[in-house]
Amino acid sequence: MTLGVVILAAGKGTRMRSAVPKVLHPLGGRPLLRHVLDAADAVGAARVCVVYGHGGGLVPQALADADCTWVEQAERLGTGHAVQQALPVMADVERVLVLYGDVPLIEPETLNRLIADSGETGLGLLTMTLPDPSGYGRIVRDGSDRVVRIVEQKDASDQERTITEVNTGIIAADRHRLAHWLGRVDNDNVQREYYLTDVIGLAVADGIEVVTAQPERLEEVAGINDRVQLAALERIHQRRMADCLMRRGTTLMDPARIDIRGRLECERDVVLDINLICEGDVRIGAGARIGPNCLLKDCEIGPGAEVLANCVIEGARVGAGARIGPFARLRPETEIGRACHIGNFVEIKKAQIATASKVNHLSYIGDAVIGSGVNVGAGTITCNYDGANKHQTVIDDGAFIGSNTALVAPVTVGADATIGAGSVITSDAQAQQLTLSRARQVSISGWQRPVKK
Ligand code: UD1
Ligand code: CA
């Protein structure tokens, strides 16, 4: 059976009070619509069509890499009309599943259950029962508990409004029949809209079985209309990811104080302290520990490494057993080798540092290649930028750079060389030798301090 998924995303999103289309607002660092596209993918959709609204051209632009067809619904004439716009794209599928761009937490398992339960010909309807059903379409059943139709709140009688089983909006149906029913739906209702929900009554009239299923949890079918609801779902989503990490063997000092805005993969026995923010793709190796208040973005932390409090690591790789921070900043294209120590107030950019080297205090290392067993003294700076171009600094294995050295690139320090503290190194320093470039210390005997006239 080939499955097509239609995602409705033509809502104006007025209540977001935003210049950004609603379905592009991020949840867990990714647009709402991206979550729904992932769900469509997870249920094996052969074809996906997103119906976006007039003036919503930003949406296809922002998600240009998505494997789906974009269809504009020029006029917002109702959910039935919206689904109809997508049907030409669905010509080669047998079953159609309707999802919503602003309902991001729907679980593939729930959808698979709905698809399986409704079989090849049935109409699958995802419903829920709410203590306060106001606003939703009500599921009307007959004396034998069979679904008869859906009535929208605005069109419902007082009697019907007491029904607590409501429509989530998610349905699965035979593509051919759905097209037929939608062709017969009119807008003869309070809202003057073509209701998708009217196909239920038409299916029943055609003798098609309406099969209902319920989501495991209500948040799966919660829609987002404003930023308060967005924030509430963000917390639920974060908690879900935290639980998932813990089940896979990661210790979280507090599962309520981690934010994953992208993907985080941890090997076993990783320990994450509080207030960690992960962005993009982050991978952490077995047994590594991340201290409190760190920001990790698109980076890889090796097994057994330790990132101490308040570090910012972006676009960098940290080798096994290395120790970073506290208060260190690793910037893009940085590779810290095995067992290196990078200490407090050290900034490293586009630099490779081999095994067991140390840059422990107050340094800037940029555009550099540093060997193994190098010790970079406190306050050392690579002067990599001449105001126009960037230049490289090379420090070979075993070198010792005295404190407060300025390495004026391009420059090379040879293996096992020693640089005297306070030097400004403007030409290459030979291997094994002591190089220093500071004024010799003098003492002037008999010198008198000036006195006030
Ligand atoms: C709809 C259902 C209702 C259900 C509720 C669940 C209908 C007629 N009613 O009501 O039974 O309980 O959802 O939340 O379907 N959309 C378009 N184009 C349109 C109209 C809507 O893309 O022309 C999209 C909206 O962006 C939104 C979704 O469809 O994501 C639902 O539309 P909305 O008008 O909010 O329907 P409800 O009144 O909430
Ligand atoms: Ca709605």
Side-chain angles (χ1 to χ4, degrees), residues 258-272:
I258 174 170
D259 274 36
I260 303 167
R261 301 172 190 164
R263 289 180 210 280
L264 169 61
E265 263 181 60
C266 293
E267 290 175 5
R268 59 176 49 186
D269 294 316
V270 165
V271 178
L272 306 178

Side-chain angles (χ1 to χ4, degrees), residues 8-11 51 73 76-79 82 100 102 136-137 150 152 167-169 193 195-197:
L8 300 193
V51 181
Q73 185 192 21
R76 212 173 165 282
L77 300 179
T79 47
Y100 298 83
D102 56 1
Y136 291 93
I150 296 179
E152 291 304 298
N167 175 30
T168 65
E193 284 183 8
Y195 290 164
L196 174 62
T197 45

Side-chain angles (χ1 to χ4, degrees), residues 331 349 364 367 384-392 409:
R331 291 171 51 199
K349 185 217 83 171
Y364 171 63
D367 302 296
N384 60 324
Y385 185 51
D386 58 16
N389 297 298
K390 305 272 168 70
H391 303 280
Q392 263 225 331

Side-chain angles (χ1 to χ4, degrees), residues 7-13 15 22-23 51-53 73 75-83 99-103 128 135-138 150-154 166-170 191 193-198 221 223 225:
I7 302 175
L8 300 193
K12 283 210 204 76
R15 279 180 280 164
K22 177 163 75 173
V23 294
V51 181
Y52 65 98
Q73 185 192 21
E75 271 186 290
R76 212 173 165 282
L77 300 179
T79 47
H81 178 261
V83 171
L99 301 179
Y100 298 83
D102 56 1
V103 181
M128 58 184 165
Y136 291 93
R138 309 296 206 281
I150 296 179
V151 60
E152 291 304 298
Q153 156 107 10
K154 287 180 179 150
V166 302
N167 175 30
T168 65
I170 294 174
Q191 302 186 80
E193 284 183 8
Y194 296 88
Y195 290 164
L196 174 62
T197 45
D198 280 356
V221 292
N225 293 307

Side-chain angles (χ1 to χ4, degrees), residues 112-249:
N112 281 330
R113 203 149 35 78
L114 181 71
I115 293 163
D117 290 357
S118 56
E120 298 208 335
T121 55
L123 194 154
L125 182 62
L126 197 66
T127 73
M128 58 184 165
T129 300
L130 298 176
D132 174 13
S134 50
Y136 291 93
R138 309 296 206 281
I139 309 295
V140 181
R141 291 179 184 264
D142 67 12
S144 325
D145 220 25
R146 280 188 300 248
V147 174
V148 181
R149 63 191 179 101
I150 296 179
V151 60
E152 291 304 298
Q153 156 107 10
K154 287 180 179 150
D155 303 298
S157 65
D158 287 348
Q159 172 68 30
E160 285 164 336
R161 286 184 190 187
T162 64
I163 299 172
T164 54
E165 186 186 11
V166 302
N167 175 30
T168 65
I170 294 174
I171 68 163
D174 175 83
R175 193 260 315 159
H176 187 72
R177 287 196 175 89
L178 182 63
H180 171 67
W181 296 323
L182 284 173
R184 288 164 57 196
V185 166
D186 61 29
N187 66 350
D188 187 10
N189 52 55
V190 172
Q191 302 186 80
R192 295 267 143 222
E193 284 183 8
Y194 296 88
Y195 290 164
L196 174 62
T197 45
D198 280 356
V199 306
I200 310 304
L202 293 170
V204 171
D206 281 356
I208 296 295
E209 190 192 6
V210 178
V211 181
T212 57
Q214 283 74 40
E216 193 85 13
R217 285 175 302 252
L218 288 181
E219 66 246 28
E220 286 185 52
V221 292
I224 291 173
N225 293 307
D226 60 30
R227 295 180 203 238
V228 175
Q229 292 167 338
L230 177 61
L233 282 204
E234 177 74 28
R235 282 306 104 208
I236 290 170
H237 176 63
Q238 290 299 339
R239 182 61 207 224
R240 269 200 203 174
M241 285 192 292
D243 289 351
C244 180
L245 277 173
M246 291 188 288
R247 289 203 188 88
R248 289 181 185 171

Side-chain angles (χ1 to χ4, degrees), residues 57-77:
L58 281 176
V59 179
Q61 256 174 51
L63 296 172
D65 61 328
D67 187 12
C68 66
T69 307
W70 300 94
V71 170
E72 184 182 329
Q73 185 192 21
E75 271 186 290
R76 212 173 165 282
L77 300 179

